[in-house]
Amino acid sequence: MKEIAVVAFSQSDCLAQAGAANEVELIMPQLQAVFGQVGLNNAQDVDFVCSGSCDYLQGAAFAFVAGVDALGAVPPIKESHVEMDAAWALYEAILKIRMGHAESALIYGFGKSSSGELPIVLSQQLDPYYLAPLWLDSVSLAAMQARLLLDRGLATERTMAEVVVRARRNAIGNPHAQVSGEFSLAELLAADTVVSPLRQSDCAPVADGAAAMIICSVEKAREWGVPYALLSGIDHRIETHNLGMRDLTDSVSTRQAATAAGAGRGPVEVAELYAPFSHQEIILTRALGLGNDTLVNPSGGVMAGNLMMASGLSRIGEVFRRIVSGDIARGLAHATAGPCLQHNLVAVLESA
Amino acid sequence: MTQAENLSQAFELGFTYTRSTGPVVGRFLSALRERRIFGIRASDGRVIVPPAEYDPDTAAALDEFVEVGQCGSIVSWCWVKQPRAAHPLQQPFAWAMIRLDGADVPMVHCVAAAAEEQLATGARVRVVWAEEPRGYITDIRCFELLGETVGETASPAGGSGAAGDLPTPGDVAAVTRIDAPIYLHYNFTAGAAPARFLTRIREGVLTGQRCPRCANVYIPPRGSCPACGVATDEEVVLPDKATVQSFTVVAIPIPNNPIKPPFVIANLVLDGANISFIHLMSECQNSEVHIGQRVQAVWKPEAQWTYAMDNIRYFRPIDEPDVPVERIGKLPITGWEG
Amino acid sequence: MAKLAAVVGIGQTHYKTRRVDVSIAGLVREAAVNALEDAGLGWDDIEAVIIGKAPDMFEGVVMPESYLTDALGCNGKPMLRVHTAGSVGGSTALVAASHVQSGMFKRVLTVTFEKQSESNAMWALSTPQPFSVHLNAGAGGYFAPIIREYMRRSGAPYDVGIRVAVKDRLNGARNPLAHLQLPNITAQEVEDSMMLWDPIRFLEACPSSDGACAMVIAAEELVSQSPRPPAWIRGVAMRSEPTMYAGREEVNPQAGRDCAADVYRQAGITDPRKQLDCAEVYVPFSWYEPMWLENLGFAAEGEGWRMTMSGATSLDEGGDIPWNCSGGVLSSNPIGASGMIRFAEAARQVRGDAGAHQVEGAKLALGHAYGGGAQFFAMWVVGAEKP
């Protein structure tokens, strides 16, 4: 099967409120950045374009259509869109390359979730007869998941806070971070809970912004003469929507995806995990069997800022950056979707 | 470049959806109206409440209903200190995963309690029914604490009665449909380029943007030239005369719109612009509107000007010769002399 | 090089104004089960599920695929959700096919749906936003001026659209799944129906339907495991262009022309009218038949309406290239599924299982979908013969 190379990645600053910028204005700088990294002019220079976004974040049907205005799609281009995080747009692009209909692809994701009340918007993702009418928000759902971990001794409020302290410290080196810095455990634990047992610090700050990536066949990457990372494996799995039927302290689908992506075939030096809540990093780390020899979320992960519909792609981008800079030879990236880690994607990247 | 304001405005995205329930969900909701709770037996024998239509493990369609108890134990919970406006309870409350007696799979609902300290995993709870159950999940208004706790593993036997006397969808009383009012609130931001456009139109000035690459002028501008994919920022003030590129006579009413049919909406290109926009035409015989026709804006009184394209009430025909089709969208700012 | 893949199962629901007997999951499930039965397969035989629908505002469920996992037997499998506006049904079929054509999967299920009766299409397609003029009056308000420009250019007589409206409804009457059943429709009736968006009359516009469509797509080596004849995928293509740009050709969009050229090249088609046996083309307003006849290369520019008027696209009149034998979008329109229905109906024709609307001996067929401001295109060519 055709080998896939990641050749460029860029993401915007994570902003709690991107102000006046509309979709096109959020996307365009990221596209210019990835084109610049490879030396391309616009989307005409790649064979396929795929994006990820969600209409309900902005509250407008067809929010993604405006995104096409950022591409320079004249003459027309091969283009598609998933109503998912852009990590899944990447997945679709890989299919296109592997079937021989493209040698290269541009992927981007964007969201402006500050427009609405995100936890309430996401409550309408739940079962429309039994749960959505209760307006059960996404933070409360995560809080019940966290409680299960605490009750079973798989996490403590302290280990959850440790995740946050480390993430925010790591984020100091991340120029796009919305939240970063040195915080003490005591300081975090002294704060009151917002939805007990979660403190505000356990919840990733939601950010407006966009991210973009360019991938291609290895042959194309050589032709372009740019540094690249091999995307040696990628897989994603979904679980039942019925929360009561799942063991919420585990992430079976993450493990399935990791196995299928071949995560265990070599050392995982870095893992960038899409964990919007501190306890979910604990769940994911366990599900993936990551030990002390794996550096988890060196970028700060989404605790540095959660770019809805782009954070999954950004995790892959962060691992790519570390590989092409020569910091590491092999890493894993994870993306998630749906309530309480329902749907998970794992990608494995390696140095060429 | 003009100084733009950061324009944002609250809006509601709302609709009352009408959901048909299908037989399984309908049976459950019908039973709620009788203040009874039914689960469904999964392929492996477990009882799922509320009843799932399809087995999560085997994908089999499920149909064996089982009545469960109205008390249960908390499997997990969280405490909401500041309820959101949409939440079912407006006092601090708990969400909980509750395993009802006789059920195996916990359901999620809210629990009313005076203080967080009263909540505990394993705590026993009981349904509080709405005064008038109507066949909605919210017929269970909430759960309340019984003041006792059981070990997590001890799942008391429930009143798992036979389901023979369940209301069926064929009954007059059966629930087959629910309303789902979904009203979400957003704060829409216009975008930098549209905000500049809107700021100027508030002053009665039409301002487009020119693409630095292909030199075409876009109005209203969106911040990019869609053809070239590059940012636009050179502003061009345009006159309020335009040409009809095409049009339609609309005979059906637009929901929530005061304009009464029949009315003409036209794709209009302003002089000096290279793209059309849609606007109303009036002061004309609908039957005489035609492609290439020259029109001019009729503005609202200045006192009513705001950040909106409808500062222009409509466009009306003017006494200028028609523009040949091949010139539409290519006229200079100076207009059309014929 | 793309791996060979074929449609081995097709399932549809009845299309109706309101499917009051099912939940959203029940609707989607019905099409999926029908496709699995048609393919002689069970849930365990499916490796991945690809789902598509138009804006979530139609049903008011945000990214509803999350809730639909159990109904579609997805647990532990990959599930992907596509959304490319009105073309989504076609795009979803193409994304599903790419799972197999890439060699990464052996057999996948793809499902698209819309339960439009849960809300109101006019509302869901143009939800209000501040700072904008609310004049678009639904899809008809957008497309009517483009149709008018086509009429001006081509000099087509006023009744071409009427002719298409009658033909597609007569076809729909042959298809028991079609929403509109109007076996006695007449040109006079269409002409007398209310003018909604001049020149589009009520009976020249598509209905609003509930419904779902599903297909099972399998790799070459698994095709023989299904009992019915396969529809081999001979070409796949998608193209997009911006909604508006200076000088955009709206009547005959370049994205459509390019997409057709791409799919024909893959299928070895140089003369679509001659080589294809039939086509299922997204025609939500009657005038789009002559317009797409030209855009897709079945007729020279300006000549599409003559072809329609000659009866060439009519099944009843024994035309040489029948279009929309199933009744098309003019007879059934659950928006998110409408594109996939075109793709599936093209496959039914070459499998020879289209029942009363079968084109005798059909071997090669085109499935087509478009969306947005006629800017997103998805097409495939399917054939009875293995390439």
Side-chain angles (χ1 to χ4, degrees):
Chain A
M1 214 171 303
K2 202 170 252 181
E3 284 199 297
I4 306 292
V6 181
V7 292
F9 170 71
S10 179
Q11 80 159 68
S12 63
D13 291 345
C14 295
L15 299 170
Q17 225 283 30
N22 61 17
E23 292 91 348
V24 173
E25 291 160 347
L26 285 176
I27 296 163
M28 219 155 12
Q30 304 320 314
L31 300 190
Q32 296 309 322
V34 290
F35 293 143
Q37 288 172 31
V38 186
L40 307 179
N41 289 314
N42 56 29
Q44 297 294 333
D45 295 339
V46 293
D47 300 329
F48 181 63
V49 178
C50 199
S51 61
S53 69
C54 171
D55 283 349
Y56 261 105
L57 292 190
Q58 285 95 329
F62 307 116
F64 69 92
V65 176
V68 177
D69 287 353
L71 298 173
V74 178
I77 58 172
K78 297 180 189 173
E79 188 264 353
S80 187
H81 172 262
V82 294
E83 195 82 350
M84 307 179 84
D85 186 284
W88 279 270
L90 167 71
Y91 191 86
E92 183 179 333
I94 289 170
L95 297 171
K96 273 282 184 305
I97 293 179
R98 293 227 163 116
M99 72 185 276
H101 275 219
E103 283 291 312
S104 58
L106 166 72
I107 299 105
Y108 63 94
F110 62 98
K112 202 171 175 194
S113 4
S114 67
S115 306
E117 186 182 359
L118 184 67
I120 286 297
V121 170
L122 291 178
S123 76
Q124 299 307 299
Q125 187 179 16
L126 302 174
D127 183 298
Y129 314 94
Y130 298 152
L131 291 174
L134 298 175
W135 300 91
L136 172 55
D137 63 279
S138 52
V139 177
S140 296
L141 271 173
M144 283 189 280
Q145 183 182 33
R147 173 90 55 200
L148 285 166
L149 283 174
L150 297 174
D151 285 350
R152 293 196 197 161
L154 297 169
T156 64
E157 293 188 29
R158 190 182 169 84
T159 58
M160 285 163 61
E162 280 168 1
V163 167
V164 181
V165 167
R166 181 170 37 74
R168 291 184 177 181
R169 183 181 301 137
N170 289 348
I172 294 171
N174 179 348
H176 305 298
Q178 183 176 344
V179 179
S180 63
E182 288 291 349
F183 293 81
S184 74
L185 272 180
E187 193 180 346
L188 294 186
L189 290 170
D192 214 347
T193 57
V194 284
V195 181
S196 155
L198 295 181
R199 294 175 169 77
Q200 192 61 54
S201 57
D202 291 310
C203 312
V206 175
D208 292 348
M213 178 178 280
I214 295 175
I215 64 166
C216 60
S217 65
V218 165
E219 298 73 37
K220 192 76 186 177
R222 292 195 186 121
E223 182 192 317
W224 279 340
V226 290
Y228 63 92
L230 282 175
L231 206 159
S232 64
I234 186 165
D235 194 88
H236 67 103
R237 304 292 165 125
I238 198 164
E239 296 177 49
T240 174
H241 186 68
N242 193 323
L243 293 159
M245 295 288 277
R246 284 169 51 194
D247 175 359
L248 294 176
T249 65
D250 192 9
S251 182
V252 175
S253 53
T254 297
R255 196 159 44 241
Q256 289 170 328
T259 303
R265 283 186 216 126
V268 176
E269 295 170 62
V270 157
E272 280 281 342
L273 308 178
Y274 188 171
F277 299 93
S278 60
H279 67 277
Q280 293 182 339
E281 185 181 304
I282 296 171
I283 295 172
L284 292 167
T285 305
R286 277 183 65 238
L288 289 164
L290 301 177
N292 291 333
D293 45 354
T294 300
L295 191 57
V296 174
N297 286 340
S299 69
V302 293
M303 283 294 161
N306 185 5
L307 290 173
M308 291 297 291
M309 316 318 285
S311 278
L313 185 70
S314 281
R315 305 279 65 69
I316 299 164
E318 288 291 346
V319 175
F320 155 75
R321 274 215 274 248
R322 280 176 171 73
I323 288 177
V324 293
S325 69
D327 290 352
I328 59 165
R330 191 169 188 273
L332 174 154
H334 159 267
T336 197
C340 295
L341 303 173
Q342 184 190 358
H343 191 182
N344 296 284
L345 177 147
V346 172
V348 178
L349 288 88
E350 298 179 12
S351 58
Chain B
M1 203 188 331
T2 331
Q3 200 59 32
E5 297 174 44
N6 182 355
L7 291 180
S8 64
Q9 190 176 310
F11 80 103
E12 182 182 71
L13 178 75
F15 200 88
T16 298
Y17 292 85
T18 51
R19 306 215 181 287
S20 49
T21 59
V24 173
V25 177
R27 272 193 158 199
F28 171 75
L29 297 178
S30 300
L32 289 183
R33 227 166 29 180
E34 318 275 312
R35 294 190 167 83
R36 297 169 70 186
I37 302 174
F38 285 87
I40 205 159
R41 199 174 294 284
S43 310
D44 63 2
R46 285 188 292 178
V47 174
I48 304 173
V49 181
E53 294 187 79
Y54 307 102
D55 189 292
D57 295 327
T58 65
L62 302 177
D63 58 6
E64 189 189 339
F65 287 82
V66 179
E67 181 161 14
V68 298
Q70 304 200 356
C71 296
S73 313
I74 290 181
V75 174
S76 186
W77 58 281
C78 66
W79 183 254
V80 181
K81 291 204 163 123
Q82 287 188 311
R84 295 171 182 271
H87 279 159
L89 299 176
Q90 290 300 301
Q91 304 279 320
F93 71 98
W95 291 108
M97 298 178 74
I98 298 161
R99 187 183 293 117
L100 290 177
D101 298 343
D104 297 287
V105 175
M107 65 178 288
V108 181
H109 216 295
C110 53
V111 178
E116 180 178 355
E117 290 65 38
Q118 297 178 350
L119 267 293
T121 301
R124 298 280 297 157
V125 292
R126 171 173 60 205
V127 169
V128 178
W129 292 101
E131 277 175 25
E132 281 184 51
R134 299 179 305 132
Y136 285 79
I137 188 67
T138 45
D139 289 350
I140 298 177
R141 196 156 69 83
C142 60
F143 283 79
E144 62 184 4
L145 292 159
L146 286 174
E148 40 185 285
T149 303
V150 295
E152 213 211 324
T153 48
S155 184
S160 48
D165 55 347
L166 266 180
T168 59
D171 293 353
V172 184
V175 173
T176 58
R177 204 195 92 159
I178 58 172
D179 285 340
I182 298 176
Y183 291 79
L184 295 166
H185 296 95
Y186 294 89
N187 194 44
F188 178 84
T189 315
R196 283 201 293 277
F197 166 78
L198 293 165
T199 303
R200 295 303 303 279
I201 203 167
R202 187 166 173 269
E203 301 154 2
V205 180
L206 292 164
T207 314
Q209 288 191 348
R210 190 190 310 277
C211 172
R213 189 171 296 174
C214 68
N216 283 308
V217 173
Y218 288 89
I219 184 165
R222 288 196 288 196
S224 76
C225 168
C228 302
V230 298
T232 53
D233 59 10
E234 183 198 338
E235 299 196 337
V236 187
V237 173
L238 298 172
D240 66 355
K241 284 186 179 179
T243 308
V244 175
Q245 187 182 54
S246 194
F247 66 96
T248 181
V249 184
V250 180
I252 59 168
I254 305 173
N256 308 317
N257 198 310
I259 308 163
K260 295 288 169 260
F263 54 89
V264 178
I265 58 173
N267 301 37
L268 302 172
V269 198
L270 290 179
D271 296 349
N274 304 104
I275 193 94
S276 68
F277 56 83
I278 292 175
H279 213 303
L280 270 179
M281 268 181 71
S282 197
E283 289 186 42
C284 56
Q285 289 295 318
N286 290 355
S287 58
E288 287 169 12
V289 176
H290 56 274
I291 292 169
Q293 192 170 17
R294 294 286 291 159
V295 296
Q296 187 163 17
V298 174
W299 295 77
K300 285 181 180 170
E302 194 172 337
Q304 295 175 25
W305 287 351
T306 175
Y307 299 102
M309 191 65 177
D310 44 20
N311 288 351
I312 296 177
R313 198 192 299 276
Y314 53 79
F315 283 78
R316 66 175 177 87
I318 51 175
D319 189 20
E320 287 187 10
D322 286 355
V323 178
V325 171
E326 61 277 9
R327 296 293 310 279
I328 298 173
K330 298 186 180 107
L331 296 186
I333 283 182
T334 49
W336 173 243
E337 304 305 332
Chain C
M1 190 52 199
K3 297 263 188 294
L4 279 184
V7 178
V8 297
I10 296 171
Q12 301 182 62
T13 63
H14 277 95
Y15 304 114
K16 288 190 168 157
T17 305
R18 303 181 79 88
R19 279 296 304 270
V20 295
D21 56 323
V22 286
S23 63
I24 297 169
L27 183 74
V28 171
R29 166 89 171 193
E30 188 175 308
V33 165
N34 289 346
L36 285 177
E37 277 176 8
D38 187 48
L41 299 169
W43 294 105
D44 292 344
D45 299 315
I46 298 300
E47 295 176 346
V49 179
I50 299 87
I51 188 162
K53 70 177 298 301
D56 294 353
M57 281 89 192
F58 269 113
E59 293 84 7
V61 185
V62 178
M63 299 182 279
E65 57 282 3
S66 165
Y67 140 76
L68 291 169
T69 50
D70 295 350
L72 295 173
C74 288
N75 301 317
K77 296 175 188 173
M79 185 192 218
L80 202 77
R81 156 75 192 286
V82 182
H83 176 17
T84 62
S87 58
V88 65
S91 306
T92 305
L94 297 184
V95 175
S98 72
H99 277 72
V100 177
Q101 293 173 309
S102 64
M104 287 169 71
F105 293 83
K106 295 294 181 209
R107 194 155 45 201
V108 301
L109 172 69
T110 181
V111 192
T112 52
F113 74 99
E114 211 70 73
K115 202 158 183 306
Q116 292 185 206
S117 68
E118 307 243 327
S119 70
N120 171 299
M122 286 273 280
W123 178 83
L125 288 175
S126 49
T127 51
Q129 282 214 318
F131 306 120
S132 53
V133 187
H134 306 300
L135 288 176
N136 48 348
Y142 180 87
F143 290 113
I146 300 175
I147 291 170
R148 178 179 305 280
E149 169 61 12
Y150 171 75
M151 294 168 77
R152 186 201 62 78
R153 280 187 201 185
S154 65
Y158 80 101
D159 58 342
V160 178
I162 294 171
R163 175 103 171 194
V164 176
V166 171
K167 174 196 69 124
D168 282 4
R169 270 50 173 271
L170 291 177
N171 289 349
R174 291 166 173 251
N175 175 4
L177 300 177
H179 175 171
L180 297 183
Q181 293 291 334
L182 303 169
N184 302 313
I185 190 170
T186 64
Q188 194 61 48
E189 207 178 330
V190 177
E191 187 168 348
D192 292 345
S193 67
M194 185 184 173
M195 189 65 90
L196 303 180
W197 307 276
D198 195 346
I200 303 174
R201 293 171 180 80
F202 176 73
L203 282 172
E204 291 179 275
C206 53
S208 175
S209 318
D210 284 355
C213 178
M215 291 190 283
V216 178
I217 297 174
E220 183 182 10
E221 58 267 40
L222 297 191
V223 163
S224 62
Q225 289 185 11
S226 289
R228 313 283 292 276
W232 293 97
I233 299 170
R234 303 283 299 269
V236 289
M238 47 171 79
R239 286 294 187 283
S240 305
E241 66 183 36
T243 317
M244 301 187 85
Y245 59 90
R248 178 167 184 238
E249 173 50 82
E250 290 183 305
V251 171
N252 190 359
Q254 192 185 343
R257 280 181 276 143
D258 291 1
C259 192
D262 189 2
V263 83
Y264 295 156
R265 183 186 49 74
Q266 295 168 45
I269 292 170
T270 51
D271 183 343
R273 179 170 179 179
K274 197 176 261 174
Q275 289 170 271
L276 288 163
D277 296 303
C278 56
E280 282 282 339
V281 178
Y282 205 100
V283 176
F285 302 105
S286 58
W287 277 93
Y288 266 88
E289 175 172 303
M291 288 162 68
W292 289 152
L293 278 167
E294 297 171 26
N295 190 247
L296 298 174
F298 288 75
E301 196 158 353
E303 302 292 320
W305 64 271
R306 290 183 207 278
M307 196 171 151
T308 291
M309 295 307 264
S310 77
T313 58
S314 166
L315 182 60
D316 281 335
E317 296 174 41
D320 63 283
I321 179 72
W323 268 35
N324 294 324
C325 301
S326 66
V329 181
L330 283 171
S331 297
S332 314
N333 186 32
I335 292 185
S338 288
M340 185 170 283
I341 299 168
R342 310 280 69 73
F343 279 48
E345 285 288 345
R348 287 184 71 189
Q349 289 289 347
V350 301
R351 296 170 96 203
D353 75 349
H357 61 278
Q358 177 71 44
V359 174
E360 209 182 308
K363 293 274 182 264
L364 204 60
L366 171 72
H368 161 282
Y370 84 92
Q375 65 187 119
F376 302 120
F377 292 85
M379 301 178 198
W380 80 6
V381 169
V382 282
E385 312 291 344
K386 189 161 148 181

